[in-house]
Amino acid sequence: MLPFSLFIFIYFATLLPSPFAIAQLTTCSGIVPMNYRNDKISITDFGGIGDGRTLNTKAFRAAIYRIQHLKRRGGTLLYIPPGVYLTESFNLTSHMTLYLAKDAVIKAVQGSSNWPVVAPLPSYGRGRERPGGRYVSFIHGDGVHDVVITGENGTIDGQGDAWWNMWRTGTLKFTRPNLVEFINSYDIIISNVRFLNSPFWNIHPVYCSSYDITIRRVSGSSPFAGVAVGSETSGGVANVLAEHLNFYDMGIGINIKTNIGRGGFIKNITVSNVYMERSRKGLKIAGDTGDHPDDKFDPNALPIVKDITIKNVWGVNVQQAGSIYGLRNSPFTGICLSNIHLRGATRPRSVPWTCSYVSGAALLVSPWPCSALTSTQQDDSCSANL
C-alpha cells in the first residue's frame, strides 16, 4: 500500500465570527509545500467555454491528456478562468495543479444516462448503495501523486439534486458518484476551493494509507455533519487534525463514527477551535453508525476508537449537546473533552448528554457531560491534551 498524505487546507474569505480567534494562524506551509508549476495552461486553450451551457468534457480530458503525456519539469498548472464550465466526469493525473480562479465553477452534468459505471471497490464486491458497479466520481484520481486542487475560492459543483432524487425514489441503478475521489494516491493538497452539492461523498480517499490528515479553516453547512471521521474504516484512520472550523445549519457539528463489522481503528484525532450555530447535535461519537451493503461482513470485527481530543468548541442554538456510544466489547478510550460550551434549547424529554462504554476526561464542558467523563482528574491518556 502506498504512503498517503491528504492535506485539506480550505479557506473561505467570509467566516462566521469565532470567540476563539487568534492573532496569527498557521498554514500548511512547512507541512507539505505546494509545488510551484512553471508550466501553465488554460482550459480555454483546449476549447473550454464557461457559459454554463457548453459541454466541456473534451476540453478537460484533452488538457489533462497533454499534462500526462507532454511532461514538463515540475508539473503543469491547469487554469480555470471565471465562468461556469459544464462537464462530465474527468480523471486527474500526477504532477498537476487544478487551479480555479475567483468566480470559476466546474459544474457536473446532471443525470446518469452518460455517466460511466466502474467496477465496485474490491472491499465491498458490490456497490455501496446498489448491487453491481458504481458511477465513477466526478473528479477522479487513481494511482496519482503530487496533485493540487486549489485557487481563489472557486467552486466544484456536483449538481447532486438529481442523484438525491433517484436515491430517495428508489430509481437509482448504481451507487451514486462521489464529488472527488483518490484511489491508491498520495501527496494530495486541496485548498481554497468550495465544494457544493455532491451526489454522494464529497472527498473520498480510498485504498490509501489514510493518516496525517490536516483539515483547516473550513466554513459551511450540511444536513449531516460538519466534520466527520468514519464510518467505513475497515483499515483505519489516524493522526487527523481539524481546526478553525465554522458550521451553521448542521445535523451534527462533529461526528466520529464506526460500526461492528468494520474492524480497523480511529485514533489520534484532534478537533479544535470550532464555532457552530443552529445544530441538531453538537458532538457525536458512535459505534452504531451505518449499515452494511449486504450480509457478507464479519460480525466479530470490532473497531478500536481511542485518543480523541475535542477542545475549544462554542455552539449556539444547539438542540442537544452530545452523545458517545462505545461498543460493549470494544469501549472507546481516551475521549478527552475540554473548553466546550454548547448552548441552546434542549428538545422535550431529552438530556444534554448520553453515553455508554466510554472512558476519558472532561474539563470546562457545559452542559456537563455524562458521568463516564465527569472526572475532574485527567486520566493519563488525556493529561497531555486537555
Side-chain angles (χ1 to χ4, degrees):
M1 184 175 291
L2 294 172
F4 175 78
S5 299
L6 172 63
F7 287 87
I8 307 174
F9 166 49
I10 305 178
Y11 172 78
F12 291 93
T14 303
L15 297 178
L16 294 175
S18 170
F20 300 106
I22 60 178
Q24 183 176 2
L25 298 177
T26 58
T27 71
C28 283
S29 60
I31 303 175
V32 171
M34 189 177 297
N35 291 337
Y36 180 79
R37 315 288 192 192
N38 288 311
D39 187 45
K40 299 179 180 64
I41 58 177
S42 171
I43 194 66
T44 59
D45 299 335
F46 299 85
I49 300 175
D51 61 3
R53 300 185 304 274
T54 302
L55 189 63
N56 289 278
T57 306
K58 290 183 179 180
F60 276 98
R61 294 178 181 174
I64 294 169
Y65 183 91
R66 185 267 195 195
I67 297 171
Q68 183 177 16
H69 291 87
L70 189 61
K71 298 178 180 177
R72 299 300 192 190
R73 184 175 180 178
T76 298
L77 182 147
L78 175 57
Y79 178 72
I80 313 300
V84 179
Y85 297 84
L86 188 68
T87 178
E88 298 169 316
S89 64
F90 60 89
N91 295 329
L92 301 176
T93 190
S94 296
H95 308 299
M96 73 166 289
T97 296
L98 179 64
Y99 189 100
L100 287 78
K102 184 178 183 294
D103 298 325
V105 180
I106 300 176
K107 181 174 286 190
V109 297
Q110 286 196 310
S112 60
S113 57
N114 294 318
W115 205 282
V117 176
V118 296
L121 296 174
S123 55
Y124 277 125
R126 52 155 286 169
R128 178 64 183 84
E129 298 178 300
R130 299 288 299 162
R134 62 193 187 108
Y135 293 107
V136 72
S137 298
F138 177 45
I139 298 178
H140 190 75
D142 192 346
V144 301
H145 63 280
D146 183 24
V147 175
V148 178
I149 302 176
T150 189
E152 305 162 38
N153 295 338
T155 300
I156 296 175
D157 185 353
Q159 292 211 92
D161 53 344
W163 297 97
W164 308 333
N165 290 334
M166 285 188 285
W167 176 63
R168 293 187 185 108
T169 59
T171 58
L172 191 67
K173 293 183 179 179
F174 301 100
T175 296
R176 289 172 291 164
N178 302 310
L179 195 58
V180 177
E181 180 176 72
F182 290 99
I183 301 178
N184 297 315
S185 301
Y186 62 99
D187 289 344
I188 310 297
I189 301 177
I190 301 175
S191 72
N192 297 49
V193 178
R194 299 175 67 233
F195 296 91
L196 294 179
N197 304 320
S198 175
F200 199 18
W201 295 324
N202 274 284
I203 301 172
H204 185 221
V206 62
Y207 301 138
C208 307
S209 296
S210 203
Y211 57 83
D212 295 341
I213 299 173
T214 299
I215 304 169
R216 181 174 285 132
R217 296 205 288 273
V218 177
S219 175
S221 63
S222 169
F224 302 104
V227 59
V229 179
S231 59
E232 305 189 7
T233 53
S234 56
V237 178
N239 305 338
V240 176
L241 170 64
E243 62 182 2
H244 305 297
L245 313 174
N246 292 268
F247 301 135
Y248 53 94
D249 296 325
M250 302 303 303
I252 302 170
I254 302 166
N255 192 9
I256 297 171
K257 50 186 180 172
T258 186
N259 202 354
I260 292 174
R262 297 294 179 198
F265 55 83
I266 300 175
K267 62 182 182 179
N268 299 334
I269 312 296
T270 299
V271 183
S272 70
N273 297 303
V274 180
Y275 176 83
M276 65 181 76
E277 187 171 350
R278 299 185 302 277
S279 179
R280 189 175 69 249
K281 181 174 290 192
L283 163 65
K284 182 177 182 181
I285 306 175
D288 60 352
T289 301
D291 55 1
H292 298 273
D294 54 34
D295 59 359
K296 307 269 190 305
F297 66 94
D298 180 3
N300 297 314
L302 297 176
I304 295 172
V305 177
K306 61 180 294 187
D307 300 337
I308 311 297
T309 298
I310 301 174
K311 58 186 178 181
N312 300 339
V313 178
W314 185 272
V316 296
N317 294 327
V318 177
Q319 293 181 22
Q320 185 188 15
S323 61
I324 307 176
Y325 297 118
L327 299 172
R328 179 188 298 271
N329 296 319
S330 185
F332 297 170
T333 61
I335 307 301
C336 313
L337 309 180
S338 70
N339 197 24
I340 298 174
H341 306 279
L342 300 170
R343 308 297 189 189
T346 302
R347 291 174 295 177
R349 289 180 300 214
S350 69
V351 293
W353 286 87
T354 54
C355 300
S356 61
Y357 306 111
V358 57
S359 65
L363 180 67
L364 300 177
V365 177
S366 64
W368 199 243
C370 38
S371 59
L373 299 175
T374 55
S375 172
T376 57
Q377 299 296 318
Q378 300 170 10
D379 66 4
D380 291 341
S381 62
C382 291
S383 59
N385 299 321
L386 294 184

